[in-house]
Amino acid sequence: MNMRSLVFLSILFSFFSCTVEIDVGVEAPEWILEPPKVSETHRTIRGQAAAETIAEAQLAAFDDLKSALIEMMELGYVEYWSDEGKRAFEILFDAILHTIKNDKPSDFGVELGAQGAWKSGGNQIHYAVEINWERKAFEEQALQLFELIGATNTQIQSYVSRARAAIRENETYEAALLWATVAGISRTVDIEAGYSFALKEVERSLGSLEISLVEVPDRVFVGLRPALPVVFFVSSHGRPVGNAEFIITYPNKARDGSIYIAKALVLSDMEGLVKFRPPEVVVSGPQELTIAPSARPFLDLFGEERDASIENFEANLEKPRAVASYDAQVRIRSIPMGILIVETDLVGNVLGETDAAEGLFGDLIADDFNVSIIELNPVEVLLLSERALLRDLKADIRFGGKYERVIHGRVSLDSFEQVGDVYTVRVSGILAMSDIQKQVTLFSSEITKTSQGAASQQAISAAFRQFGRSFAGEIIKLAP
């Protein structure tokens, strides 16, 4: 059948209703339970649907038959057809509907195979129809239509075919890239419907990606980079997706000290794993990282123009798909620290007490610091300079291998007064926190404390203890 005769048939069939008179049975026919038959001489194509009325069911089934015919002829997506190709196909399909209604073989190789209608649970009515098409005539018609349909841009049809093949092979990411190429070509040749459709196909392809959290780092500390990466697994229908680009977001600190959400681009490996080792942690508490597909590989295929459709595409694509959460601690609490404080009287003699050290120790332990008091002869310590003290501690296997830091210094009794039954005591000194391994002082503070009591020794002990607690408070402020 040539195109002129198809045009005539289209005009003729417009006077006929596309619905078919048929009895509605109580159960499905036996042939509907089997897939359409394929033989060496004929191709069988089926359409099936259900609705509340027989007329609606038939119309829906004819639409299903049309979709099945397009797929079997491998004509691609209607959005990319030329206007001439669309007209030719509609004329052909009208002729097929006429064949079904009259149940008489056509002169282009089509005949009605079977049709049936039946009721199911509720008010649903099912209708199904099969046509048999002589194989050679079918292939000739498919070739003729493809030549008309593909006349606009054969390159588009090529990429569409490749994208469909990638989907069948579960190459989801590759299919998305091919659809992005189709979108770019469609925009170039001004096929707006095809362009919009291809964008949706990219989103639909990537929508099948499944991203799950595999591993997060443990014992993460502020100021240090986590030792282990965050690991996600990316798959599609159970198959790993490799060499795909993703966006990882994580908290970071700006130059002005403010915290913002930074982004990093990471590729999945051939096993579908996305591994990202965050940079130096900038804030304590819960850390949240997200992962989303990156739009960048697809934007490059759309051309330079950016419009609302591209912006919406990018926003939809880069929405987080999975989240990784873990806590970051301030490392100062976990660092092994020793306390070595020498207490002296009014004339500089060493006192045999450890009130300042105990006051410091008690508050730090209560705040979960890893700290203990170093037992050394205070007279020997008093004679050492800070540099010599750090050197000796590092060299001594009892301390250099146990502690990373030391809190050290000298606290002196400055004044001691009695007024009636009340004793007033003032102590002062400088305490420092130093890194034993690096041999440097990290923090120091000059402190003065005054205390009163009814007993002299009670007042002295309280002043030294408050001195130690005051320095503990300053250290705790460093690790909120």
Side-chain angles (χ1 to χ4, degrees):
M1 178 180 290
N2 57 37
M3 286 297 108
R4 288 185 179 180
S5 60
L6 282 176
V7 171
F8 172 76
L9 284 173
S10 177
I11 297 172
L12 177 63
F13 297 148
S14 65
F15 294 100
F16 291 88
S17 169
C18 64
T19 58
V20 179
E21 294 182 3
I22 188 171
D23 295 330
V24 179
V26 295
E27 60 183 22
E30 292 184 3
W31 60 268
I32 200 67
L33 303 178
E34 300 291 335
K37 298 178 181 179
V38 178
S39 70
E40 295 182 359
T41 58
H42 285 79
R43 303 295 297 270
T44 300
I45 308 166
R46 179 186 296 171
Q48 182 177 346
E52 294 184 356
T53 67
I54 182 62
E56 292 173 335
Q58 284 182 336
L59 289 176
F62 293 150
D63 280 341
D64 187 52
L65 179 66
K66 180 186 290 186
S67 297
L69 178 60
I70 292 172
E71 182 176 355
M72 189 170 289
M73 284 186 163
E74 297 185 348
L75 299 179
Y77 293 92
V78 178
E79 286 78 6
Y80 304 106
W81 291 4
S82 66
D83 291 339
E84 185 179 9
K86 291 177 183 178
R87 287 193 298 268
F89 182 83
E90 290 301 328
I91 291 170
L92 174 64
F93 196 72
D94 279 348
I96 292 173
L97 293 181
H98 181 72
T99 298
I100 295 172
K101 181 173 182 178
N102 291 278
D103 192 11
K104 292 182 179 180
S106 70
D107 61 354
F108 54 95
V110 174
E111 62 181 6
L112 176 63
Q115 63 176 325
W118 67 97
K119 290 184 178 179
S120 64
N123 298 323
Q124 291 290 297
I125 296 177
H126 295 257
Y127 173 78
V129 60
E130 282 187 353
I131 60 171
N132 296 322
W133 200 327
E134 194 273 321
R135 193 181 191 101
K136 184 177 180 181
F138 172 86
E139 293 174 352
E140 290 177 352
Q141 189 66 69
L143 179 60
Q144 187 177 10
L145 283 171
F146 187 81
E147 289 176 352
L148 291 172
I149 288 167
T152 299
N153 194 296
T154 55
Q155 190 179 21
I156 285 179
Q157 295 296 334
S158 173
Y159 278 106
V160 167
S161 297
R162 290 169 59 187
R164 293 174 67 186
I167 292 173
R168 288 193 296 270
E169 296 295 326
N170 196 20
E171 295 286 352
T172 302
Y173 200 78
E174 178 65 19
L177 290 171
L178 290 167
W179 280 120
T181 304
V182 171
I185 299 173
S186 298
R187 166 170 280 195
T188 301
V189 297
D190 295 324
I191 305 178
E192 188 61 32
Y195 165 70
S196 300
F197 180 80
L199 284 184
K200 293 178 182 178
E201 286 298 304
V202 175
E203 291 187 31
R204 190 170 71 88
S205 297
L206 295 178
S208 68
L209 295 181
E210 300 169 354
I211 305 177
S212 57
L213 179 62
V214 175
E215 185 179 5
V216 296
D218 58 355
R219 291 189 61 80
V220 177
F221 300 103
V222 176
L224 296 178
R225 191 178 187 188
L228 299 174
V230 175
V231 183
F232 295 97
F233 175 62
V234 184
S235 62
S236 176
H237 304 293
R239 181 176 180 178
V241 176
N243 200 33
E245 186 174 277
F246 295 88
I247 292 178
I248 303 288
T249 67
Y250 59 93
N252 204 357
K253 183 180 290 186
R255 289 185 177 181
D256 61 4
S258 61
I259 304 300
Y260 70 100
I261 301 300
K263 295 182 178 181
L265 296 176
V266 184
L267 291 177
S268 61
D269 63 21
M270 297 311 296
E271 297 179 349
L273 297 178
V274 178
K275 301 178 181 179
F276 175 70
R277 186 180 170 204
E280 179 181 300
V281 179
V282 296
V283 62
S284 63
Q287 307 291 302
E288 184 173 285
L289 281 73
T290 69
I291 183 172
S294 170
R296 189 182 69 165
F298 307 97
L299 297 179
D300 292 342
L301 302 172
F302 295 158
E304 296 182 358
E305 183 181 350
R306 295 289 184 266
D307 57 14
S309 63
I310 296 297
E311 293 175 357
N312 291 335
F313 168 84
E314 186 173 8
N316 291 335
L317 195 63
E318 295 186 350
K319 289 180 180 177
R321 299 284 193 90
V323 178
S325 298
Y326 52 89
D327 284 328
Q329 303 174 357
V330 178
R331 185 172 180 262
I332 188 174
R333 283 189 172 86
S334 65
I335 297 174
M337 288 192 292
I339 299 174
L340 189 56
I341 302 175
V342 178
E343 299 178 7
T344 61
D345 60 16
L346 290 170
V347 295
N349 295 319
V350 174
L351 299 173
E353 306 294 337
T354 57
D355 292 308
E358 290 174 359
L360 174 65
F361 172 80
D363 281 13
L364 291 183
I365 283 292
D367 207 54
D368 295 327
F369 279 76
N370 182 10
V371 63
S372 59
I373 297 176
I374 296 177
E375 296 183 2
L376 281 177
N377 186 336
V379 175
E380 296 178 1
V381 173
L382 182 64
L383 300 176
L384 297 174
S385 65
E386 180 180 273
R387 182 176 181 180
L389 174 65
L390 295 179
R391 180 197 62 206
D392 290 355
L393 288 174
K394 183 177 182 179
D396 193 323
I397 59 174
R398 295 175 300 168
F399 310 116
K402 181 178 180 180
Y403 301 109
E404 289 186 31
R405 295 180 182 178
V406 61
I407 299 172
H408 59 95
R410 173 179 174 180
V411 188
S412 299
L413 182 62
D414 284 347
S415 65
F416 178 85
E417 298 179 354
Q418 180 182 6
V419 179
D421 294 333
V422 177
Y423 294 90
T424 301
V425 177
R426 188 180 69 186
V427 298
S428 65
I430 299 176
L431 291 186
M433 181 173 65
S434 299
D435 190 310
I436 296 176
Q437 305 304 319
K438 296 180 180 179
Q439 297 284 288
V440 294
T441 296
L442 306 173
F443 172 72
S444 65
S445 179
E446 185 173 357
I447 301 171
T448 298
K449 284 294 176 182
T450 302
S451 178
Q452 293 182 329
S456 61
Q457 189 58 46
Q458 178 187 21
I460 293 172
S461 295
F464 279 110
R465 186 172 294 272
Q466 289 177 21
F467 181 96
R469 296 188 65 184
S470 179
F471 191 70
E474 294 189 36
I475 295 176
I476 291 171
K477 287 181 181 179
L478 297 176

